[in-house]
Amino acid sequence: MGRIHTHRHGKSHSIRPVTSGSSWVSQNSAEVKELVEKYAKEDLSPSQIGIKLRDQHAIPLVKAITKKTLMQILQEKKLKPELPEDLDNIIKKAAGLQKHLKTNKADNRNVRSLELIEAKVHRLSVYYKRTGQLPKNWKYKSVVAQLE
């Protein structure tokens, strides 16, 4: 899969863990759900929760054990973040770049980078509005992103 704004090709040959229950996993479905809830209350993002479960508890894939995705578990417990994680990360990146451009006014190359990042925000927001993960009236404002 290629990248939109670069000439690089991106990651290839990434393999997901086995989908059936692994023999070395000692936790059952309820214990995994408790761990997900505990880490979500510690303000970890969904990807950080997955990494922590993989590295500290040897749980390769939550869905194989619980029959639900991590986001479905968070939604049941009403701990789902208000913005999707990838959109939130891109907004934070844009805010950091805007802060950089305020102090470095001659940095024209990063003005273009900011335009590309904001285009990604708008593309993602259209997708998330269409799928119902964002409200229809949600709008990205670069001034609001600077304040967060």
Side-chain angles (χ1 to χ4, degrees):
M1 184 91 178
R3 301 281 182 245
I4 293 176
H5 299 301
T6 65
H7 298 291
R8 288 178 270 156
H9 296 290
K11 294 180 182 179
S12 62
H13 302 292
S14 59
I15 300 171
R16 289 191 80 178
V18 290
T19 54
S20 62
S22 302
S23 60
W24 65 85
V25 177
S26 60
Q27 290 90 352
N28 62 14
S29 178
E31 292 172 342
V32 172
K33 287 181 182 179
E34 287 174 16
L35 285 171
V36 168
E37 184 177 3
K38 175 186 151 197
Y39 290 138
K41 286 181 179 175
E42 292 176 5
D43 281 339
L44 293 179
S45 68
S47 63
Q48 289 173 326
I49 292 172
I51 289 171
K52 203 161 206 163
L53 290 175
R54 181 195 68 195
D55 293 344
Q56 292 181 0
H57 301 282
I59 299 171
L61 199 58
V62 172
K63 189 173 182 179
I65 299 168
T66 62
K67 306 295 186 243
K68 294 179 181 177
T69 64
L70 195 102
M71 291 305 291
Q72 289 171 337
I73 295 170
L74 292 176
Q75 197 166 12
E76 283 179 358
K77 307 282 185 181
K78 298 196 179 12
L79 295 169
K80 186 177 175 185
E82 68 254 4
L83 281 179
E85 186 180 5
D86 53 352
L87 183 62
D88 191 41
N89 289 338
I90 293 174
I91 289 173
K92 286 177 185 172
K93 188 182 221 180
L97 198 52
Q98 287 169 346
K99 184 179 174 186
H100 167 79
L101 289 173
K102 276 188 176 178
T103 58
N104 302 292
K105 298 200 182 294
D107 193 357
N108 293 324
R109 183 179 190 128
N110 280 326
V111 171
R112 173 71 177 148
S113 296
L114 180 62
E115 290 171 357
L116 296 177
I117 290 170
E118 288 183 342
K120 283 182 190 177
V121 169
H122 290 295
R123 267 197 317 275
L124 267 178
S125 67
V126 167
Y127 167 74
Y128 285 130
K129 286 177 191 176
R130 189 176 66 232
T131 58
Q133 296 181 41
L134 277 179
K136 297 285 183 193
N137 61 355
W138 187 88
K139 192 163 188 164
Y140 170 75
K141 297 176 188 83
S142 58
V143 177
V144 174
Q146 290 175 353
L147 300 175
E148 292 180 351

